[in-house]
Amino acid sequence: AENKRAEAEQLLGEALKLDARYADAYVVRAEILQQAGRADEAANVYREALKQMPDKMALLTGLAVLEIARGAPAAARPLVERAEKLAPADPDVLFAKGLLAFREKDNAAALKAVEAVLREYPAHSRALRLSGMVNYTEGNYDIAQNALATYLTRHAGDLLAWKLLGATLLAKG
């Protein structure tokens, strides 16, 4: 798997040298780096791409989510705010907004954002996972269980989600 990841990263790098206008290629490259545990490099890919395409939603939300995951919500906040000004109803913007709110322990705002995503896109994987986390934290165990069970049908390898589902079931009694 590591060889395939390195090969994909190399091919994306070569493609971007030919034409640097493809925001999705930057996102994929950054995600590959992040999965390989190279978050600093992933952040640099996003930042470089944002210099060329400052209003590309996928780049703004991708870097925002990465910064939140790295424990830097202060770095994520201006990215989320900029993305929200450009497309307030975009599901990835709402997800990033909800994740940031959850990270900052504003569960009411997190729930509002994640519910808005799931109303329009009930299969949005990251929003389902976040819904499970927020609803568990709020004691809404039935909702958490449903969201996590749905999420895990497509992401069975997510150990953290399984643990949270187990904790949810224990909390329900």
Side-chain angles (χ1 to χ4, degrees), residues 76-148:
R77 178 162 296 290
L79 297 164
V80 172
E81 289 171 352
R82 195 161 98 208
E84 191 174 21
K85 286 179 184 172
L86 294 169
D90 182 273
D92 291 328
V93 173
L94 290 168
F95 170 76
K97 185 177 175 181
L99 185 62
L100 180 61
F102 183 66
R103 179 72 172 179
E104 294 177 335
K105 301 190 183 336
D106 184 353
N107 290 346
L111 279 173
K112 183 179 178 185
V114 79
E115 287 170 357
V117 174
L118 293 173
R119 249 190 319 278
E120 295 296 319
Y121 303 93
H124 192 286
S125 291
R126 296 184 306 168
L128 283 166
R129 187 174 190 262
L130 180 58
S131 175
M133 293 164 54
V134 179
N135 280 294
Y136 174 82
T137 303
E138 288 294 298
N140 303 325
Y141 301 125
D142 288 333
I143 298 170
Q145 178 184 352
N146 185 45
L148 290 166

Side-chain angles (χ1 to χ4, degrees), residues 30-108:
E31 287 176 354
I32 289 170
L33 290 167
Q34 189 175 358
Q35 289 173 4
R38 296 160 53 194
D40 290 340
E41 290 176 66
N44 288 336
V45 167
Y46 280 123
R47 285 188 194 99
E48 284 301 313
L50 280 167
K51 287 178 186 174
Q52 298 172 43
M53 299 168 278
D55 293 336
K56 286 291 184 181
M57 203 62 54
L59 298 172
L60 289 167
T61 58
L63 181 55
V65 169
L66 174 62
E67 293 294 6
I68 295 164
R70 292 181 353 151
R77 178 162 296 290
L79 297 164
V80 172
E81 289 171 352
R82 195 161 98 208
E84 191 174 21
K85 286 179 184 172
L86 294 169
D90 182 273
D92 291 328
V93 173
L94 290 168
F95 170 76
K97 185 177 175 181
L99 185 62
L100 180 61
F102 183 66
R103 179 72 172 179
E104 294 177 335
K105 301 190 183 336
D106 184 353
N107 290 346

